[in-house]
Amino acid sequence: MESSGFHAEFAQLLGRLADDSLDSDGVEQLGKWLDADAELRKYFVEYCQMHALLRSEHGLLSAWSPAYAPTPSLVGHTARWMMDNVGRVAAVAALLVVSVGIAIVTYGRVNRPYRGAETAVLSKAVAARFVYGPDGETMPSAGTQLRQGLYELRDGLAQFEYQSGAIVVARAPVTFEIVDQTCVRLVDGQLSAHVPPAAKGFRIEAPGATVIDLGTDFGVEAVKGRDSEVHVFKGDVLVDLHGEKNRVEDRVHLVTGEATRVDFVTGMPSGIDLDEDRFVRSLRDDPSSYSRQVLQMNPAVYYRMEPTGDGRHLRDFSGNGADATIHLGRATAPVWTSGKVGSALRLGGPAQQTYASASDYPQATGDTLSVVAWVYARSRPRWASIAKNWAGGANDRGQFHFGLREDSGELEAHIEDDSGTEITVHDREPLPLNTWHQVAFVADGATLRLYRNGVEVDVHPYRHLHRDPRILALAIGTKLNLEGDAPEERDFNMWDGKLDEIAIFNHALTFEQIRMLGNLGNQAD
C-alpha cells in the first residue's frame, strides 16, 4: 500500500472512531498499523492530545473522570507501550473524541457534536435557530428532547425545562452545554433561570464562576475569556469563584436586586448594578392575574408582549384577531426582554427603527375610549410613541395619539372631537427615565383624562369622539403615515425603551379599574 493511501485509510478509521462506529475489526486494524508504524503512533498521540487540549481550553466536556483521561505521561510512553496497549489507547481516544461536545474536523470531514442522554425538553422556541440541534436539525420544534452536549443558538430565543421544574431561557447568540439534570454550562452569551424550591441547587457554570441556586430567578452573562456577570432578580444564589486568586471554597452570596461581575483570570468579584433590561426571564405564556383582570374588562385589543413562535408578531389576546407585525428595522437580536408582567417589547428608538403595527383593528364607533399600558423609557426621542392611530399630516388625525410631548418628553394624549378641534392632555414633568410607569388615558364621552401611576395628571372636556375612516392602522412604538404602511418620515416618533401590556378599550374605564391594574402590575415585580 502506498503511503498516501495508507494515511487516508488510517484517517478514515480515526473518523469512525470519532463517530463511535469503529467495530472490532477496525480496532484490530488500527492496532496493527500503530504496531508497525512509529509515525502513525506519534500522530495518534497528537490526535488524542489535540482533543484533550480542546477540552481543557473550552471546558466542553460535561464530566471528566481522571480514570479515563489521558495523562501527560502518555506522551512520554514508548512505542512498545502503545503497541501493547493499543486497545486501551483506542478506547481512551474513543471516549475522549465522542465525549467532547464540539464538531471535530478530521481530514475535511465534519462530525456531529456529542449527544448524550435526554436531559431537558425544549418547551418553547421563538425564531430559534441552532448550528446543530439535538439530532442535527437547526430549528427544533417545541417539545423536542434536548440531550447532553454542546449547543450554539445563532438566532432567537429557546426555553428548556428540566424534570425538576428548573427553567432556563437562552437568548441568541449564545453557546452552552447541557451537562446533566442539575447543571448547564455557559460558554459565551446569556442564560436566565427560574428555579423552584424542588430544584434548589441547580447550577449554571460560567467562565470564572459557578452560580448555585438557592431557589430563585437569576441571569448569567459570559464573555468568553474575559468575565461573567450574575444578576439576581428574585431570591438568592451562591457564586463559587474560580481563578488564580481564589480558593475553591470562596463564594459570594447574592440576594434579590444584587449583581456581581467575576473576572475570568483572577476570579475576583466586583459589585455592579442589577440590569434586568438585558435578560429575557421567561417565555411562559400562561395567563397572569394581571392579564385575567384585563380580559374581564373586555378589551378591544390587548398585546401582552409575550414572544411568539416566529418572533415576528404580537398576539392580540382580546380574541378580536388584531395581531400586530413586528418590523425589526436595524435590530439584530431578539426584541424581547423582561417586562413589568412577563416579557416586554424592547425598542431602540430612531437609531434602531423597530416598531409594530396592525393594519386594521376594531376602533371605537362611539364616543368613549381607554388605553392602558406599562412603559419604560431609556431616553425621550421627539414625539416618542406608545401607541397611535394617527397620521403625519396636520389634518390627518385619527382616533388617538399616545406618547411623549415633542422634545420636552412629558406624557400626553390627543384625540379629536367632532368640531375638528384637537384635544390634548399632558403631564407637567418629563417622563422619568429607567423606571416602569403605568400610563393611561380615558375618554368617557365628555372628558379626556390622563393618568400616570394611578394619579390623574390632566383633564380636558371634549364633544364626541372623531374617527377618520382613512386611518385604519394601529402603530406601536411609532406613528405611521396616512397609508399605514411605514413610519411617518419627519420625526420617526420611535420609542426608546420597553413597552408592555398595551390594552385598548372601546369604553371608559373607571379610576378604580385603572388603580386595580396598577396594583396588580406592581405585585408582578
Side-chain angles (χ1 to χ4, degrees):
M1 181 183 297
E2 295 183 358
S3 177
S4 59
F6 183 87
H7 287 126
E9 191 170 349
F10 182 77
Q12 290 176 1
L13 287 182
L14 288 185
R16 288 164 56 193
L17 184 68
D19 279 340
D20 200 24
S21 61
L22 191 63
D23 57 21
S24 57
D25 291 340
V27 171
E28 182 178 355
Q29 181 61 57
L30 187 63
K32 289 179 180 178
W33 284 345
L34 289 172
D35 186 39
D37 194 313
E39 181 182 347
L40 290 184
R41 289 197 296 273
K42 179 180 178 182
Y43 176 81
F44 186 70
V45 171
E46 290 174 349
Y47 185 86
C48 293
Q49 282 183 292
M50 176 184 71
H51 295 297
L53 288 172
L54 284 173
R55 183 264 167 190
S56 176
E57 166 132 9
H58 299 290
L60 299 177
L61 193 57
S62 61
W64 186 256
S65 169
Y68 299 103
T71 65
S73 62
L74 176 62
V75 180
H77 281 186
T78 63
R80 182 72 257 164
W81 185 94
M82 291 287 295
M83 290 184 288
D84 292 342
N85 296 277
V86 64
R88 283 181 60 190
V89 174
V92 168
L95 178 63
L96 177 63
V97 173
V98 173
S99 296
V100 174
I102 60 175
I104 302 170
V105 181
T106 306
Y107 285 85
R109 177 181 177 183
V110 179
N111 298 308
R112 65 181 185 179
Y114 164 72
R115 291 293 181 258
E118 292 180 350
T119 304
V121 62
L122 183 67
S123 56
K124 191 167 184 180
V126 178
R129 184 171 66 89
F130 291 85
V131 172
Y132 192 102
D135 295 298
E137 69 275 55
T138 59
M139 301 184 72
S141 58
T144 300
Q145 291 289 330
L146 298 182
R147 296 186 283 141
Q148 291 169 306
L150 190 78
Y151 295 85
E152 182 180 349
L153 182 65
R154 286 278 182 86
D155 298 300
L157 302 164
Q159 177 175 281
F160 50 99
E161 301 186 23
Y162 291 80
Q163 190 173 3
S164 64
I167 299 173
V168 177
V169 177
R171 176 180 178 174
V174 60
T175 302
F176 62 93
E177 182 190 358
I178 293 180
V179 176
D180 55 33
Q181 289 286 347
T182 62
C183 180
V184 59
R185 179 172 295 124
L186 177 60
V187 178
D188 189 68
Q190 183 189 102
L191 299 175
S192 58
H194 166 73
V195 184
K200 181 178 178 180
F202 185 84
R203 308 186 319 280
I204 293 182
E205 296 181 2
T210 296
V211 185
I212 305 169
D213 168 77
L214 300 178
T216 189
D217 291 329
F218 66 96
V220 182
E221 186 168 69
V223 179
K224 186 177 179 181
R226 198 172 76 187
D227 53 44
S228 299
E229 292 187 8
V230 183
H231 297 253
V232 180
F233 312 126
K234 185 178 181 180
D236 58 337
V237 301
L238 290 176
V239 183
D240 266 339
L241 303 173
H242 308 162
E244 61 187 29
K245 297 293 185 182
N246 279 288
R247 301 182 305 276
V248 174
E249 65 270 25
D250 282 348
R251 290 178 170 180
V252 173
H253 184 201
L254 300 178
V255 299
T256 301
E258 294 183 339
T260 192
R261 179 181 295 120
V262 181
D263 178 66
F264 170 70
V265 176
T266 66
M268 298 299 293
S270 301
I272 57 175
D273 290 337
L274 180 74
D275 185 359
E276 294 187 66
D277 190 47
R278 279 187 280 155
F279 295 88
V280 179
R281 292 170 54 181
S282 173
L283 301 183
R284 292 167 291 176
D285 55 9
D286 49 310
S288 63
S289 57
Y290 185 96
S291 64
R292 287 192 291 267
Q293 186 61 56
V294 170
L295 292 173
Q296 288 179 15
M297 296 177 179
N298 190 29
V301 175
Y302 178 30
Y303 301 109
R304 291 178 53 197
M305 305 302 186
E306 299 301 323
T308 57
D310 63 3
R312 295 297 183 96
H313 293 86
L314 297 177
R315 178 184 168 190
D316 171 20
F317 282 83
S318 73
N320 291 323
D323 291 354
T325 299
I326 298 173
H327 306 268
L328 293 176
R330 295 174 178 155
T332 57
V335 293
W336 283 278
T337 186
S338 59
K340 185 63 176 179
V341 183
S343 298
L345 187 64
R346 177 165 64 177
L347 305 177
Q352 189 186 75
Q353 299 179 32
T354 302
Y355 66 96
S357 65
S359 59
D360 197 358
Y361 79 103
Q363 299 178 43
T365 55
D367 293 324
T368 58
L369 174 68
S370 304
V371 179
V372 181
W374 287 91
V375 304
Y376 182 108
R378 288 192 295 260
S379 68
R380 307 181 190 95
R382 176 175 295 177
W383 295 114
S385 300
I386 298 170
K388 295 176 180 177
N389 171 251
W390 210 261
N395 298 314
D396 301 326
R397 299 167 185 159
Q399 193 146 87
F400 74 92
H401 176 295
F402 194 28
L404 302 186
R405 183 179 180 86
E406 201 170 16
D407 293 323
S408 54
E410 300 95 347
L411 180 70
E412 69 170 7
H414 301 222
I415 61 171
E416 183 177 356
D417 68 11
D418 63 350
S419 69
T421 302
E422 185 173 356
I423 309 299
T424 303
V425 286
H426 61 87
D427 204 347
R428 296 298 183 267
E429 64 173 288
L431 184 74
L433 301 179
N434 301 314
T435 188
W436 282 104
H437 301 273
Q438 184 208 38
V439 297
F441 75 82
V442 176
D444 62 12
T447 305
L448 178 64
R449 301 177 185 275
L450 181 67
Y451 300 89
R452 179 165 64 87
N453 296 325
V455 177
E456 183 181 289
V457 296
D458 200 11
V459 59
H460 199 290
Y462 72 96
R463 289 191 326 169
H464 304 295
L465 185 64
H466 172 72
R467 179 173 181 260
D468 190 330
R470 301 173 303 161
I471 303 174
L472 302 176
L474 175 67
I476 297 171
T478 193
K479 181 173 72 174
L480 298 176
N481 59 20
L482 184 60
E483 293 75 23
D485 59 6
E488 183 273 326
E489 293 184 354
R490 289 180 304 170
D491 302 317
F492 284 116
N493 294 256
M494 299 288 184
W495 187 264
D496 179 24
K498 300 187 281 187
L499 298 175
D500 197 11
E501 300 291 328
I502 294 180
I504 301 174
F505 306 83
N506 291 340
H507 57 86
L509 296 184
T510 66
F511 170 72
E512 289 73 20
Q513 288 174 314
I514 291 173
R515 184 171 58 181
M516 179 192 306
L517 291 177
N519 290 336
L520 286 172
N522 286 324
Q523 291 169 13
D525 282 341

